[in-house]
Amino acid sequence: MIMEFKYKICLCMFLLLVGEGFGQLSSNFYDSRCPGAVSTIKRMIKAAVAKEPRMGASLLRLHFHDCFVNGCDASILLDDNANFTGEKTALPNVNSARGFDVIDDIKSELENICPATVSCADILTVAARDSVVALGGPSWNVKLGRRDSVTANLEGANTDLPGPFLDLSQLVTAFASKGFTASEMVTLSGAHTIGKVQCFLFRDRIYNEKNINPAYAAVLKVNCPATGGDTNLASLDVTTPDKFDNAYYTNLIGLKGILHSDQVLFPADLSSTSHQVFTYSVLSFKFFSDFAAAMVKMGNLSVLTGNDGQIRTNCRIVN
């Protein structure tokens, strides 16, 4: 009886020490571990986005590109080393993924106040949420407690991330491979209501595709000639480029989706995903609600918790 009593005391003390969320994500994971963590991330993201609105889209994309490759483990932040080639040089990321310096600054600040406590994966996840909010979009509850990977997956980054030239069926397949429905794919595509894209990714669409507004195509051609200017930028959302809203879907109805993979969400025969696009175009609250739910789901993809992975003290390198 005495031994059993002592065991129960030790077990209770252990649970108190590790707190809620050991081995799983928790809404209050940093409440005692690092009380200022979430507010620090929010403050620094707000400042970064105020300085450059495009950064909000870049950080949202960084989170997406992280989670779709081996899960939300901050693997995209790792630089190449002697053991592996990182994901930064993968085709979807090279010369386009950005925001690494902002994450570095946040990590440095958090290391000052709570050394070796807040994971890079959690920083990325909260930063994505706060970036959307800073640009006028919805908020959502981010459960925390992710840990960081000790490796990266270049091949996965080259194969798993859905590209801008995919048809509708290919998009559905790509998102289904990560557990998302076709409806959730349409919802998450709404992230293209902010951000910019390079000319070479939409050149074929504006010169060769028929399902595009002619006046819109003409405007894009000014800064994206038939040859040259590959890295020239255009807004993904021509209507409100620096505001997170539902204009992306309105643009699709007006044949002003800049990427092939955008416009295929509103097929000419008005079948499949067209109804959802139309619904979001008139009911922004519906898009916001669905987007928040889809982002929660994405943020939970194959996370590392408990004793898996590590808490990197520098997001670019393994401890």
Side-chain angles (χ1 to χ4, degrees):
M1 289 292 292
I2 294 177
M3 290 297 293
E4 182 180 354
F5 179 70
K6 288 182 177 179
Y7 170 76
K8 289 181 177 179
I9 292 178
C10 290
L11 178 60
C12 289
M13 290 182 66
F14 173 74
L15 292 174
L16 285 172
L17 285 171
V18 299
E20 181 187 352
F22 183 79
Q24 63 182 0
L25 302 183
S26 164
S27 297
N28 61 358
F29 189 83
Y30 292 113
D31 284 4
S32 59
R33 292 173 173 86
C34 186
V38 176
S39 61
T40 296
I41 298 171
K42 180 179 181 179
R43 170 176 56 81
M44 297 185 72
I45 291 298
K46 186 176 181 180
V49 174
K51 182 179 179 181
E52 182 195 2
R54 183 189 172 199
M55 185 54 67
S58 297
L59 292 170
L60 177 60
R61 182 174 185 260
L62 204 59
H63 175 54
F64 174 82
H65 280 215
D66 178 46
C67 292
F68 256 58
V69 182
N70 287 8
C72 306
D73 59 1
S75 59
I76 195 173
L77 303 179
L78 287 169
D79 290 337
D80 299 351
N81 63 30
N83 298 318
F84 59 80
T85 302
E87 297 165 21
K88 293 178 178 178
T89 54
L91 289 176
N93 296 326
V94 66
N95 298 322
S96 66
R98 58 196 300 272
F100 300 106
D101 291 344
V102 174
I103 299 300
D104 288 342
D105 290 344
I106 295 173
K107 179 60 174 175
S108 179
E109 180 70 16
L110 291 175
E111 284 298 308
N112 287 333
I113 61 177
C114 305
T117 302
V118 183
S119 71
C120 302
D122 274 347
I123 293 173
L124 264 182
T125 308
V126 176
R129 189 268 313 274
D130 291 346
S131 292
V132 170
V133 172
L135 291 173
S139 184
W140 55 89
N141 180 39
V142 176
K143 291 190 175 182
L144 302 167
R146 296 166 191 76
R147 289 169 65 86
D148 302 322
S149 67
V150 295
T151 189
N153 186 352
L154 176 64
E155 181 181 358
N158 276 321
T159 59
D160 291 4
L161 292 167
F165 308 112
L166 297 187
D167 290 326
L168 182 57
S169 61
Q170 294 171 314
L171 286 171
V172 171
T173 299
F175 277 80
S177 70
K178 302 300 177 182
F180 291 103
T181 65
S183 177
E184 289 168 331
M185 179 272 293
V186 175
T187 302
L188 289 171
S189 294
H192 284 182
T193 190
I194 51 176
K196 296 182 181 296
V197 61
Q198 296 181 67
C199 164
F200 79 98
L201 295 173
F202 62 86
R203 177 184 283 119
D204 185 65
R205 168 158 166 72
I206 63 175
Y207 284 96
N208 299 315
E209 295 188 10
K210 303 300 182 183
N211 61 336
I212 186 168
N213 182 294
Y216 176 55
V219 171
L220 291 173
K221 288 176 182 178
V222 173
N223 199 41
C224 185
T227 58
D230 285 4
T231 59
N232 291 350
L233 296 172
S235 295
L236 285 160
D237 173 0
V238 67
T239 307
T240 50
D242 294 330
K243 183 180 180 181
F244 194 99
D245 56 18
N246 64 333
Y248 168 80
Y249 299 100
T250 305
N251 292 338
L252 295 185
I253 294 172
L255 302 184
K256 294 180 181 180
I258 193 168
L259 297 175
H260 177 82
S261 58
D262 290 326
Q263 195 60 55
V264 296
L265 302 185
F266 193 72
D269 62 1
L270 302 182
S271 62
S272 186
T273 54
S274 296
H275 181 266
Q276 187 176 352
V277 169
F278 179 77
T279 299
Y280 285 164
S281 75
V282 295
L283 300 177
S284 59
F285 72 89
K286 173 64 173 170
F287 166 50
F288 275 24
S289 175
D290 289 353
F291 187 83
M295 286 299 294
V296 169
K297 183 174 178 177
M298 189 174 77
N300 293 338
L301 288 178
S302 302
V303 297
L304 301 172
T305 60
N307 290 319
D308 294 330
Q310 62 180 214
I311 305 296
R312 288 187 228 135
T313 55
N314 180 335
C315 290
R316 294 176 181 263
I317 59 175
V318 176
N319 294 345

